[in-house]
Structure formats: structure tokens, C-alpha cells
């Protein structure tokens, strides 16, 4: 991967920029935007910038506008500490023609910046659909619904009633034993419907379900017959075999009468799906699991029959989930059309389908005419649908498309990210079109060296070979270093708690206390002039504690309060949820 040279990278074709935290991603976007303005002579409304949240669009809009204002001032003889901006305004890369034209372009951009095409991904899709209603087949008056849960719940409720509120609801008992409920099915269906790129496996047809039901019944009849004729033989084998464990959760003598009663009821009940709670103890897999470590294998044709039926019933329950997805995929579009509503996910899916449809090429051409350059921020948060949208618009054209993000964040599927979409985008590009930012502007050189050392191994910290850790260096020439009374302050420290008597509850109690005690030590040394950042004594505002949850934040705050250390807890928790 190549180091990004901000002023030299070609403003053409598809390019990918990997940007770790603190490496100046937003700075790079603003500078690329500025270059597109002055070198390609485009207007703000022609440069598409897409990010994930409304807050991010506001930040980008402000940063880009300030950068344009700063460049305009430098062109007028103003001063700047930004070496790259000075070089761009001096035309060091030789990419623009004359200063008069560039000044005019910047002035025009400032005056028309309210028309800048800086959107969230959903905002872009909505604009593209509405402004191209003929090509996209989109309706103008559709209501955008922010919460799809009520309509999804309505469809799942109907499916549950359709499946189980009838005389032939034979699968209900087994589904309930497996903790299936209306609520659990709603949660399950939430991420399984409406995605045109999602393939559900195994695929099945109504005929296959009918055949599977027949197979379950046929297998059940064989078990009925075998139990009727070989009941005593099976009972004696399970009661006397010396290789079986007699532990409480296996084949304990006192539990055997209840186990055999379960099979009596099942064999006489007539429902092949109503497997009793301990049915697996009659299967060959259950028998193998219930053997003593040195016990000999126990076999009987009855156990094989039970094993086959259990597998068939589990498969039938799996196909029941498939029936739910199929029902949702059929009913949700119908009901949305009837109510004339659209979900946020529909914006992406509708744009994707329009670009793949009969008028897709014409639609893509019109979008390229409107947006002749594109910068996609937070690209690690993409999914296959989003990537294919931009690929269909810009791939195989000379127009510039920059995909900017940090794939290391995508492994957590944050905000619905699909790491494989990011990897696919990287694989679609030539090596010369892949770049990385190598200077970190937040952290000290010593801490960056520690991070580089930590990840300098072959253990695949991000699991996939395609996600690499690229060493970074400090972008700062001067920085303020933390010093305290210790002989040397290591830039990265890992605390290990003594394992004796440790459990989660104890750890949750001790860790906040330890953190607060260390902060207290540092602040006391700061007051005594022994701990400082640069020349300034260490104070509470210099210290941040990052945690995973509101509960952990509260625990740390409470521990600090006990030591009379002031603190402010920042979170997205509503004030109504606080004490």
C-alpha cells in the first residue's frame, strides 16, 4: 500500500485511502475537496461527499468551508502554518492553470457553498431517487418511516397466527421448547429481510417442506413400531449397560423411569415434532455423549432411528425460520406500498435496484452528470449494497471516487458494517490506487512506537490477512511529554489483576478503585510539581478514562468522588435515565 501524497495523488478513477484514528482523515478529505475545486474546476454542488451521520456531515461541511476560506485568503496574500496548503496555493504540483481562475473558483465556491452536496448515505439516496423519479421509478409522496418495528411486528404476528392458530400446528410445542416466541422471531427477522444482497441458505421450496414433513412422519412411525416391539430391550440396555454414565445429568438410575415415561408418551402421542425434553438421550449422539470416559459404545437400531428423527425435526424448525423470512419478504413490500411508506433501508435498496434495472445505465449517467467527483467518508461502515451503488455509478469511468475509512473498525460490524464489502472493494483496485495515511497527529512518538511494537507480529490481530496494521509515525515535531516521579513513564502500560479469588463481580469493584487511586497519585504529584505535561503541572482536565458502558463510567466516577476528585461523565445517555 502506498503512502498518500496529498498533492500528487491523481484525481481520477477509484481510489481507496486507509486512515487510522488520528492520522488526519478529515484533513485529507478537505484538502482533496479543495484540489477538486481548483484543479477540476467543479462547483460544490458537483462534488459528492458522503458520510454516516448527520453530526459528521455538519463537521465535514464546516471543515471544508473553512479550508476553502483559508485557501482564498492565502491566494490574497494571507499567512498560514499549513505547509500543504501553501504548496497547493503556490501550484507546487503544477495542476492548475492561473491564479485568476483559481481565485474565481474559490470565490464562487464560497458564495455557493450552501448548495454543497454533503450528505449522509441515506440523504444521498433520497436525493438521487427524488431528483430522478423517472429513471428510478420513485414516488414523490412516500412517507419516510424512521422506525420499521411496528410494521415488521405486524407481519411477524400474522405469521405466528397463520402458523400456529390452527388445528395442524404440530410444530408449536417443539418451537416453544426451543424458546421460539413472537418476540424472538421479530428480533430474528429484523436483519434478515429487505436486503437484495443477502442470500438465505438453505434455499427451499414448498414441495421440499411437504417432503420433509412426510419424512418426519415416516421416521416417527418407524420409532413408534420399534418402541412397541423393542421397548423392554431398549429399557434394559439403558438401565444396565456399564459403559453409560450414571451422573445426574445423564442416565442416573432414579431418573430412568421418567425418561422411559417420556418416550411412552411421545410414541403414543401421534405428533412427530413433539420431541420430549430428554429425547436426545435416546439418540446415538446422546448415547455417545453419555458414555463414561472409558465406556464401550452402546448401540441399538432404536437409537439410530431417534437420531435421524431429531435431525429431521431440527431441519424442519430451520425451514420454519426460512418460511418466516419468505413471508416477511413477500408481505412487507405489499404493506409498505399499501400504506405508502418507506424505511431508511429502502432508500439504499431502491437506489440499488434502480441502478441494476433496465434504465440503470442511464440513471448512473445522470448521477455522474450531477456529481462529477465523490468522496466517501467512513467507508469501513459500508455494506455490499452501498459499495455496489457507488461502484455502478463511478467504476470504469475517469471521474474521481475516493473511498476513505479504517477497516480495523469494520471487524466489529459497527453501524452494520460488513468487513467483506470493504475487502472486496480493496480487491477490486490495483495496488497503485490504494493509499494509507502514515502520520498520527494525536499521539506522542513514544506511544506510537509502543503501538507499532504491539502489532508487529504474525498473530493476525484483525483476523483477516487483508486487514493489515500499517505502522504510523508522529506528525508533530514538538510535543509535550508526561513526566512524573517514576524513573521512566512507559507510554503503554497493561495492568494484570492477581487471579486469586477473582471473579467478575470482584473485578468490577476493584478496577474503578485502582484507576481512581492512580489518578489520585498523579494529581497529588501534579500539585507538588512532580507530575507535569511539558512544563504545566498535571490537573484533572488532563486525564480521560474511556470505558465500554454507562455502568463502568458510573463506577469510575463514584470511585473518583470518594477521593474528592472532580470529574465529568460524557455519554449519549438521556438525562431522564440519570439519578
Amino acid at each position: 500500500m502506498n503512502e498518500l501524497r496529498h498533492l500528487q495523488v491523481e484525481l481520477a478513477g477509484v481510489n481507496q485511502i486507509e486512515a487510522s484514528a488520528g492520522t488526519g482523515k478529515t484533513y485529507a478529505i478537505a484538502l482533496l475537496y479543495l484540489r477538486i475545486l481548483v484543479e477540476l474546476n467543479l462547483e460544490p454542488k458537483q462534488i459528492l461527499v458522503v458520510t454516516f451521520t448527520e453530526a459528521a456531515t455538519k463537521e465535514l461541511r464546516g471543515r471544508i468551508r473553512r479550508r476553502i476560506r483559508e485557501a482564498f485568503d492565502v491566494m490574497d496574500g494571507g499567512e498560514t502554518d499549513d505547509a500543504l496548503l501553501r504548496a497547493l496555493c503556490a501550484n507546487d504540483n503544477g495542476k492548475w492553470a492561473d491564479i485568476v481562475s483559481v481565485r474565481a473558483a474559490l470565490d464562487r465556491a464560497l458564495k455557493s457553498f450552501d448548495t454543497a452536496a454533503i450528505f449522509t448515505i441515506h440523504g444521498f439516496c433520497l436525493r438521487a431517487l427524488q431528483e430522478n423519479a423517472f429513471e428510478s421509478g420513485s414516488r414523490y409522496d412516500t412517507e419516510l418511516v424512521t422506525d420499521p418495528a411496528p410494521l415488521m411486528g405486524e407481519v411477524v404476528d400474522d405469521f405466528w397466527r397463520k402458523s400456529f392458530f390452527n388445528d395442524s400446528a404440530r410444530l408449536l410445542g417443539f418451537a416453544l421448547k426451543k424458546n421460539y416466541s413472537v418476540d424472538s422471531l421479530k428480533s430474528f427477522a429484523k436483519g434478515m429481510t429487505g436486503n437484495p444482497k443477502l442470500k438465505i441458505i438453505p434455499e427451499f421450496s414448498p414441495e421440499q417442506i411437504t417432503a420433509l414433513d412426510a419424512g418426519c412422519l415416516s421416521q416417527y412411525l418407524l420409532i413408534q413400531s420399534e418402541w412397541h416391539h423393542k421397548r423392554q430391550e431398549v429399557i434394559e440396555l439403558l438401565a444396565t449397560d456399564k459403559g453409560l454414565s450414571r451422573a445426574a445429568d445423564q442416565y442416573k438410575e432414579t431418573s430412568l423411569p421418567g425418561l422411559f415415561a417420556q418416550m411412552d408418551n411421545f410414541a403414543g402421542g401421534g405428533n412427530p415434532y413433539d420431541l420430549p425434553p430428554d429425547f436426545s438421550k435416546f439418540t446415538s449422539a446422546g448415547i455417545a455423549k453419555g458414555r463414561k470416559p472409558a465406556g464401550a459404545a452402546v448401540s441399538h437400531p432404536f437409537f439410530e432411528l431417534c437420531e435421524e428423527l431429531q435431525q429431521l425435526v431440527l431441519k424442519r424448525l430451520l425451514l420454519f425460520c426460512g418460511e418466516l423470512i419468505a413471508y416477511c419478504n413477500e408481505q412487507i413490500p405489499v404493506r409498505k406500498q399499501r400504506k405508502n411508506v418507506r424505511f431508511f433501508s429502502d432508500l439504499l435498496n431502491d437506489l440499488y435496484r434502480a441502478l441494476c434495472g433496465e434504465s440503470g445505465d442511464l440513471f448512473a449517467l445522470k448521477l455522474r452528470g450531477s456529481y462529477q467527483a465523490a468522496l466517501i467518508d467512513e467507508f469501513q461502515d459500508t455494506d455490499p449494497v452501498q459499495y455496489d451503488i457507488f461502484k455502478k455509478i463511478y467504476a470504469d469511468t475517469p471521474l474521481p471516487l475516493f473511498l476513505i475509512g479504517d477497516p480495523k473498525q469494520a471487524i466489529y460490524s459497527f453501524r452494520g458494517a460488513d468487513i467483506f464489502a470493504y475487502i472486496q472493494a480493496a480487491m477490486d483496485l490495483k495496488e497503485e490506487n490504494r493509499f494509507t495515511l502514515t502520520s498520527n497527529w494525536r499521539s506522542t512518538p513514544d506511544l506510537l512506537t509502543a503501538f507499532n511494537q504491539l502489532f508487529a507480529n504474525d498473530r493476525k490481530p484483525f483476523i483477516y490477512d487483508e486487514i493489515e496494521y500499517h505502522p504510523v509515525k508522529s506528525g508533530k515535531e514538538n510535543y509535550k511529554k508526561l513526566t512524573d516521579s517514576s524513573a521512566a513513564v512507559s507510554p503503554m502500560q497493561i495492568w494484570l489483576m492477581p487471579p486469586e479469588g477473582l471473579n467478575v463481580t470482584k473485578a468490577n469493584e476493584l478496577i474503578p478503585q485502582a484507576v481512581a487511586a492512580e489518578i489520585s497519585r498523579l494529581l497529588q504529584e501534579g500539585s507538588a510539581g512532580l507530575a507535569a505535561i511539558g512544563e504545566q503541572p498535571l490537573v484533572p482536565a488532563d486525564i480521560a478514562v474511556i470505558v465500554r458502558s454507562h455502568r463502568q463510567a458510573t463506577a469510575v466516577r463514584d470511585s473518583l468522588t470518594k477521593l474528592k476528585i472532580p470529574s465529568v461523565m460524557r455519554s449519549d445517555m438521556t438525562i431522564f435515565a440519570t439519578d
Side-chain angles (χ1 to χ4, degrees):
M1 188 168 288
N2 311 289
E3 180 178 355
L4 179 69
R5 300 173 66 196
H6 295 75
L7 300 185
Q8 281 70 42
V9 61
E10 290 294 325
L11 301 179
V14 183
N15 299 276
Q16 189 179 59
I17 301 174
E18 289 193 8
S20 297
T23 55
K25 180 194 67 173
T26 305
Y27 175 92
I29 291 173
L31 193 58
L32 285 169
Y33 192 101
L34 189 58
R35 283 189 60 201
I36 292 169
L37 279 175
V38 302
E39 295 176 20
L40 302 185
N41 197 30
L42 297 181
E43 299 178 25
K45 66 181 181 181
Q46 297 174 298
I47 307 171
L48 176 64
V49 181
V50 175
T51 189
F52 201 86
T53 66
E54 292 289 352
T57 62
K58 292 178 181 178
E59 180 189 0
L60 274 175
R61 185 176 289 272
R63 291 281 291 272
I64 291 171
R65 194 185 190 288
R66 287 194 296 272
R67 178 45 54 97
I68 298 171
R69 176 81 257 177
E70 190 177 2
F72 186 80
D73 292 342
V74 171
M75 289 286 186
D76 267 355
E79 297 294 326
T80 181
D81 295 330
D82 189 326
L84 283 175
L85 184 58
R86 286 198 306 271
L88 177 64
C89 292
N91 199 21
D92 282 6
N93 64 357
K95 298 290 186 179
W96 48 267
D98 62 90
I99 192 169
V100 175
S101 300
V102 170
R103 241 186 126 270
L106 293 174
D107 184 52
R108 184 172 62 248
L110 285 171
K111 290 176 179 176
S112 63
F113 197 72
D114 285 346
T115 66
I118 302 175
F119 305 117
T120 64
I121 180 63
H122 295 103
F124 163 66
C125 292
L126 180 61
R127 178 71 64 90
L129 291 167
Q130 288 183 339
E131 291 186 347
N132 301 274
F134 179 77
E135 291 81 2
S136 67
S138 179
R139 297 174 60 177
Y140 281 104
D141 59 344
T142 302
E143 178 187 356
L144 188 59
V145 175
T146 57
D147 183 11
L151 193 147
M152 172 71 76
E154 174 188 308
V155 172
V156 175
D157 285 339
D158 287 350
F159 176 77
W160 184 270
R161 285 191 292 267
K162 174 176 172 288
S163 301
F164 294 141
F165 285 25
N166 56 65
D167 294 337
S168 60
R170 309 177 81 184
L171 193 60
L172 175 60
F174 188 66
L176 293 175
K177 288 172 187 174
K178 290 295 183 179
N179 297 317
Y180 280 54
S181 67
V182 174
D183 289 339
S184 71
L185 290 183
K186 288 176 183 177
S187 298
F188 170 75
K190 184 177 179 181
M192 296 288 181
T193 59
N195 186 343
K197 303 288 286 186
L198 185 66
K199 181 179 181 180
I200 303 296
I201 54 176
E203 295 181 304
F204 62 92
S205 66
E207 292 76 19
Q208 288 173 308
I209 292 179
T210 300
L212 182 58
D213 285 332
C216 288
L217 179 58
S218 175
Q219 192 71 17
Y220 173 74
L221 293 175
L222 291 174
I223 288 174
Q224 258 189 338
S225 176
E226 187 76 0
W227 183 249
H228 178 73
H229 293 97
K230 302 290 180 66
R231 178 181 184 278
Q232 197 57 41
E233 187 178 311
V234 172
I235 287 176
E236 187 168 341
L237 184 60
L238 294 178
T240 61
D241 188 270
K242 297 185 182 301
L244 290 175
S245 169
R246 301 301 167 181
D249 60 341
Q250 295 297 338
Y251 298 90
K252 188 176 182 180
E253 289 86 346
T254 55
S255 67
L256 291 179
L259 179 65
F260 302 143
Q262 286 184 26
M263 182 54 72
D264 286 334
N265 292 332
F266 174 65
N271 183 356
Y273 305 109
D274 194 22
L275 304 187
D278 293 320
F279 183 81
S280 62
K281 291 182 179 179
F282 290 97
T283 67
S284 53
I287 295 291
K289 181 180 177 182
R291 284 191 301 120
K292 295 178 181 177
V298 183
S299 63
H300 191 281
F302 184 76
F303 303 147
E304 297 298 329
L305 292 174
C306 290
E307 177 71 30
E308 291 175 25
L309 178 62
Q310 181 171 263
Q311 295 305 316
L312 288 171
V313 172
L314 288 172
K315 184 176 181 180
R316 182 62 185 88
L317 193 62
L318 180 67
L319 295 194
F320 171 77
C321 296
E323 288 179 289
L324 167 65
I325 296 170
Y327 186 78
C328 288
N329 284 333
E330 172 195 322
Q331 286 295 313
I332 289 175
V334 172
R335 300 187 192 201
K336 282 191 294 190
Q337 186 175 22
R338 185 186 306 152
K339 296 173 183 286
N340 196 25
V341 297
R342 172 189 271 160
F343 301 155
F344 274 105
S345 60
D346 294 325
L347 298 175
L348 284 89
N349 295 336
D350 290 350
L351 182 55
Y352 170 78
R353 291 188 181 99
L355 288 167
C356 294
E358 292 182 5
S359 303
D361 291 342
L362 176 61
F363 190 18
L365 181 63
K366 289 199 67 174
L367 290 174
R368 286 195 297 273
S370 299
Y371 309 110
Q372 297 179 33
L375 304 168
I376 313 302
D377 185 24
E378 303 289 8
F379 187 66
Q380 78 277 351
D381 291 333
T382 193
D383 61 30
V385 172
Q386 295 177 38
Y387 172 53
D388 274 2
I389 286 173
F390 295 111
K391 184 178 177 182
K392 287 181 179 296
I393 297 172
Y394 291 102
D396 302 321
T397 76
L399 300 184
L401 168 64
F402 285 88
L403 310 172
I404 306 122
D406 182 5
K408 297 185 291 297
Q409 297 180 31
I411 62 175
Y412 302 107
S413 294
F414 183 52
R415 298 190 293 212
D418 184 330
I419 183 58
F420 302 106
Y422 189 99
I423 291 173
Q424 184 59 55
M427 292 173 60
D428 288 343
L429 298 178
K430 296 179 181 178
E431 183 62 25
E432 57 262 34
N433 296 108
R434 299 185 63 208
F435 304 92
T436 186
L437 297 171
T438 59
S439 295
N440 185 292
W441 303 89
R442 293 181 189 167
S443 303
T444 64
D446 290 343
L447 181 58
L448 294 174
T449 299
F451 272 116
N452 291 338
Q453 183 63 37
L454 179 66
F455 289 105
N457 58 61
D458 296 325
R459 296 185 180 180
K460 298 181 181 178
F462 305 106
I463 304 174
Y464 301 103
D465 291 335
E466 294 85 355
I467 304 178
E468 303 176 60
Y469 175 83
H470 301 286
V472 291
K473 59 183 183 294
S474 177
K476 297 180 180 179
E477 295 182 1
N478 301 309
Y479 67 95
K480 298 175 182 178
K481 187 174 182 178
L482 170 67
T483 56
D484 68 4
S485 62
S486 60
V489 180
S490 174
M492 179 186 292
Q493 301 179 26
I494 299 174
W495 292 358
L496 298 178
M497 301 185 69
E500 293 79 13
L502 190 65
N503 55 40
V504 173
T505 302
K506 191 68 174 176
N508 286 334
E509 176 185 339
L510 293 178
I511 290 174
Q513 295 174 5
V515 170
E518 175 65 4
I519 292 173
S520 177
R521 180 189 73 81
L522 288 169
L523 292 177
Q524 288 177 25
E525 292 192 0
S527 298
L530 299 175
I533 296 179
E535 300 297 324
Q536 298 296 318
L538 191 70
V539 296
D542 295 325
I543 300 173
V545 181
I546 301 174
V547 296
R548 294 186 64 182
S549 68
H550 298 308
R551 179 184 55 78
Q552 292 175 348
T554 301
V556 173
R557 182 198 61 189
D558 292 347
S559 295
L560 290 169
T561 301
K562 289 178 182 177
L563 298 178
K564 295 182 170 53
I565 299 172
S567 63
V568 175
M569 190 169 78
R570 297 181 179 178
S571 76
D572 58 1
M573 183 169 63
T574 172
I575 190 172
F576 297 109
T578 60
D579 296 329

